[in-house]
């Protein structure tokens, strides 16, 4: 069976309760970009493990139980005595656009690359078909931690593992743009698949056209999501554009739109779909996710699975 590892941080999520007013009641859940992707991958039938660090508190216990209930593997989750997970609050405007507030400076996940078990976890990456992480994953690590992780990924790739990188960029997570650009450049050089967006890349490379942004990514397979509901693709043997189908419900919360797109794209590629069909799957799931509050939508709201079109099928390894 195909196996995927997602690396990153999951936090406690606070979002405004349905029907509540600003400053009123909030509901509690959990989320984090790569964890959101892991949950949606599991729901799409992919065997996925989540690699992170949590505390030894009751909220961390609750997270692990929730991930396991979703079918996400937790054997690679480190538990740190006395530590806690981070926390974020979602604020949305009347169009569903989200803004995040974070409390995470001392979160357990920041120690992921500094633990006694880190070497074993890094060695395990070669046992997966795909390792997926984001720019946020890299931003919470120190310089030496990023080097250690990228070295492990290069080793795993030599043994056949593919590396998928999501450009999820949050400027506040980086000391300056120069550091961020250097880290992105290293990720682009090593990644087999890059899931990017103009929203992420425009602050890093101001004034660049869409074509220039795409050309600046050296990875063999790239999805560049645009401001409008459209993406452009470059992959071995071709390129193209894929426009999202019109939404059938109002946008409530854009949290995890990109995370769910990534999950559906990777699941489709692993299932034999070509990049364009995989992008359609990504748009389809993201279009459902934005019509619900919070990062993880109810299981009943998941769209029905669609088989890849036989005429377009290409193996994910191509």
């Amino acid at each position: 069976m195909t196996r995927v590892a997602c690396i990153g941080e999951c936090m406690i999520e606070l979002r405004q309760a349905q029907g509540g007013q600003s400053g009123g009641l909030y509901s509690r859940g959990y989320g984090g970009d790569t964890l959101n992707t892991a949950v949606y991958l599991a729901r799409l039938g992919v065997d996925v493990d989540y690699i992170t660090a949590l505390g030894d508190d009751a909220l961390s216990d609750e997270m692990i139980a929730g991930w396991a209930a979703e079918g996400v593997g937790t054997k690679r989750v480190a538990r740190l005595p006395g530590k806690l997970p981070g926390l974020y609050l979602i604020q949305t405007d009347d169009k569903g656009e989200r803004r995040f507030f974070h409390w995470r400076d001392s979160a357990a996940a920041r120690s992921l690359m500094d633990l006694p078990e880190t070497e074993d976890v890094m060695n395990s990456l070669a046992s997966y078909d795909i390792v997926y992480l984001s720019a946020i994953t890299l931003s919470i690590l120190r310089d030496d931690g990023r080097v250690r992780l990228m070295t492990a990924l290069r080793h795993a790739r030599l043994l056949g593992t593919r590396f998928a990188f999501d450009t999820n960029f949050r400027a506040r997570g980086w000391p300056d743009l120069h550091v961020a650009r250097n880290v992105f450049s290293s990720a682009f050089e090593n990644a087999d698949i890059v899931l990017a967006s103009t929203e992420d890349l425009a602050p890093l490379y101001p004034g660049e056209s869409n074509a220039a942004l795409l050309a600046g990514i050296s990875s063999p397979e790239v999805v560049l999501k645009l401001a409008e509901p459209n993406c452009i693709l470059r992959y071995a043997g071709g390129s193209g554009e894929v426009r999202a189908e019109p939404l059938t419900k109002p946008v409530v919360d854009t949290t995890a739109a990109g995370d769910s797109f990534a999950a559906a794209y990777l699941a489709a590629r692993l299932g034999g779909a070509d990049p364009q069909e995989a992008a359609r799957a990504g748009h389809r799931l993201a279009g459902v996710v934005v019509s619900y509050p919070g990062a993880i939508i109810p299981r009943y709201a998941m769209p029905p699975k669609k088989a890849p079109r036989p005429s377009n099928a290409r193996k994910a390894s191509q």
Side-chain angles (χ1 to χ4, degrees), residues 10-211:
C10 183
M11 293 171 284
I12 301 162
E13 176 189 87
L14 297 179
R15 64 178 183 269
Q16 192 170 309
Q18 217 166 7
Q21 300 298 316
S22 178
L25 295 176
Y26 284 81
S27 61
R28 177 172 61 81
Y30 56 81
D33 62 341
T34 55
L35 184 279
N36 303 335
T37 299
V39 168
Y40 288 119
L41 279 168
R43 289 184 177 184
L44 293 168
V46 177
D47 185 8
V48 57
D49 287 339
Y50 195 56
I51 298 176
T52 191
L54 289 174
D56 58 352
D57 57 291
L59 292 172
S60 294
D61 291 342
E62 183 180 299
M63 283 186 186
I64 289 179
W67 305 346
E70 288 284 0
V72 175
T74 62
K75 63 184 177 182
R76 304 293 184 194
V77 178
R79 304 298 298 272
L80 307 186
K83 285 287 190 177
L84 294 167
L87 179 148
Y88 71 97
L89 183 147
I90 305 173
Q91 182 184 73
T92 54
D93 62 20
D94 55 5
K95 295 181 180 179
E97 288 298 326
R98 77 278 190 265
R99 182 183 181 192
F100 297 113
F101 299 87
H102 293 90
W103 294 264
R104 68 198 301 194
D105 289 347
S106 60
R110 290 180 174 269
S111 302
L112 180 60
M113 302 305 297
D114 308 310
L115 305 175
E117 57 263 54
T118 297
E119 184 174 359
D120 287 342
V121 172
M122 292 299 99
N123 289 337
S124 77
L125 299 185
S127 68
Y128 294 95
D129 295 275
I130 289 181
V131 174
Y132 169 84
L133 56 86
S134 74
I136 292 179
T137 306
L138 297 175
S139 74
I140 67 171
L141 303 176
R142 298 196 311 264
D143 289 343
D144 57 344
R146 287 193 285 264
V147 170
R148 190 174 187 182
L149 177 54
M150 295 306 295
T151 299
L153 286 168
R154 283 192 290 270
H155 175 72
R157 290 182 72 229
L158 292 175
L159 298 175
T161 297
R162 284 164 287 160
F163 167 32
F165 176 63
D166 193 310
T167 62
N168 207 352
F169 176 70
R170 299 290 181 269
R172 63 182 171 270
W174 298 93
D176 57 58
L177 292 183
H178 177 71
V179 171
R181 290 187 192 110
N182 285 340
V183 172
F184 271 62
S185 178
S186 176
F188 292 157
E189 289 172 5
N190 288 283
D192 299 280
I193 301 172
V194 169
L195 298 148
S197 73
T198 54
E199 179 184 8
D200 294 331
L201 298 183
L204 270 175
Y205 311 102
E208 296 282 8
S209 66
N210 292 342

